[in-house]
Amino acid sequence: RSLALSLSAPLQRRSSMLSVCSGRPRATIGKPRKGRFGSVTFGGVAGSTPSLVRQPQKQTQSLLAVPRRCRECGLSLRAFEGALHRCSDALEWPFGGEAIASRDGSCCASSSSSGCRVVRLGALAVKEGKTSPASGAFEALWDFIHEDLSHGFHRPDAGSVAAGSSAVLLALRGRQVAGLIWLERIAKAALVAADGIAKEGAAMPPKAAEVPASLGVVLIWVRRTERRKGLASAMLDAACGCLASIGAPPVPVEQVAFSQTTDMGSLFARRYIGQTHQGAVLQYTPVCT
């Protein structure tokens, strides 16, 4: 009898353990199970996030720094210099100006083949020193042009611009500066043959005949990416009407003179004047020199 009791006790404990285990939920594999943070997905079976399956990473393209030459200023840049070079910031003009009509009286933006609009700057914009946001932007633009053309002219005088004896015109494509022309009112100029045009820094021929002139081109500059599109001619056509007297017709081509020019400037002057002076070009010495 004592042997039967000793054998029945372990059997009772085992049966009680089985009854307790049978009440627990059985583990499921590959099915979502709710936890503290919601249901979790195992083995790639669909379920709500977060998922234990590693998602594939997105493919990104790396930007490599390579040596190049700037399209705007022509500067040769190394790899990291090219990544930090921002010379085109000086060519942005978010300010306004007086809209200028072309020679025939229409808007320059519609008449010019370049599709740019031409505006005239006021005295406050060209005033020396960063007295206003516009003057600060013009100072940066003038420094850029000085480096691009390597000229020796001082920046335009605000007093002469205010008096109307000189003018500064900008050709704008949106908010980007595409070209600049600086003009003066003059009374006479020297008639120089095409092969005897004085280059920049050289003296004019002593025996050149002086003839009446009305408009003097001190400096004309066109952005590198905008050249050979007729923009320089469009700006000069606008200038002929800009500096004409009130009620008077535009300045005729035979009264347009040029300062000491570069090789490209001499070529432009001969093409613009044509055969007006039998191949000769009017040349003068600017007041600012």
Side-chain angles (χ1 to χ4, degrees):
R1 184 177 180 179
S2 60
L3 181 60
L5 292 174
S6 61
L7 292 176
S8 62
L11 293 175
Q12 293 177 358
R13 288 195 299 269
R14 184 176 180 182
S15 62
S16 62
M17 292 175 61
L18 291 175
S19 63
V20 171
C21 293
S22 61
R24 295 180 179 177
R26 304 182 68 180
T28 58
I29 300 177
K31 296 181 180 180
R33 183 179 62 185
K34 291 186 178 180
R36 182 177 179 183
F37 301 101
S39 59
V40 182
T41 303
F42 296 90
V45 181
S48 59
T49 56
S51 175
L52 298 182
V53 180
R54 179 174 295 179
Q55 300 294 334
Q57 296 181 353
K58 295 182 179 180
Q59 299 292 333
T60 58
Q61 183 179 2
S62 301
L63 298 178
L64 301 179
V66 295
R68 63 182 179 90
R69 183 176 293 275
C70 181
R71 296 176 54 194
E72 303 295 347
C73 63
L75 185 64
S76 181
L77 303 171
R78 297 180 181 179
F80 292 101
E81 291 176 348
L84 301 176
H85 189 64
R86 298 289 300 273
C87 69
S88 59
D89 292 347
L91 303 179
E92 185 175 356
W93 187 262
F95 311 99
E98 180 187 354
I100 302 300
S102 61
R103 183 184 293 270
D104 57 359
S106 60
C107 179
C108 285
S110 60
S111 63
S112 173
S113 58
S114 60
C116 297
R117 58 189 178 95
V118 181
V119 298
R120 182 176 182 176
L121 301 185
L124 294 179
V126 301
K127 188 176 182 180
E128 190 172 359
K130 298 181 180 180
T131 56
S132 64
S135 61
F138 184 79
E139 182 176 351
L141 174 62
W142 187 258
D143 292 339
F144 181 91
I145 296 175
H146 184 273
E147 294 294 332
D148 193 22
L149 295 182
S150 299
H151 61 83
F153 296 131
H154 301 289
R155 63 183 292 173
D157 180 60
S160 60
V161 173
S165 57
S166 66
V168 178
L169 308 183
L170 292 182
L172 301 177
R173 187 183 299 278
R175 299 177 62 175
Q176 294 293 318
V177 179
L180 178 144
I181 185 170
W182 179 13
L183 313 154
E184 287 181 338
R185 297 183 186 273
I186 59 176
K188 58 184 178 179
L191 187 61
V192 183
D195 54 353
I197 295 178
K199 300 300 186 292
E200 183 179 1
M204 289 196 308
K207 296 183 180 180
E210 292 187 349
V211 296
S214 301
L215 179 65
V217 180
V218 183
L219 181 143
I220 185 168
W221 168 83
V222 177
R223 192 170 177 169
R224 289 174 181 255
T225 56
E226 299 287 345
R227 292 173 184 174
R228 301 185 183 277
K229 297 180 180 180
L231 183 58
S233 300
M235 288 192 298
L236 190 49
D237 287 342
C240 290
C242 174
L243 290 188
S245 301
I246 298 177
V251 177
V253 177
E254 56 269 17
Q255 295 187 7
V256 177
F258 298 85
S259 64
Q260 292 89 343
T261 58
T262 60
D263 293 337
M264 293 182 62
S266 300
L267 181 61
F268 168 75
R270 292 196 299 268
R271 288 181 177 178
Y272 188 81
I273 298 298
Q275 297 298 321
T276 303
H277 300 289
Q278 289 76 37
V281 177
L282 293 182
Q283 193 169 10
Y284 82 108
T285 301
V287 179
C288 60
T289 55

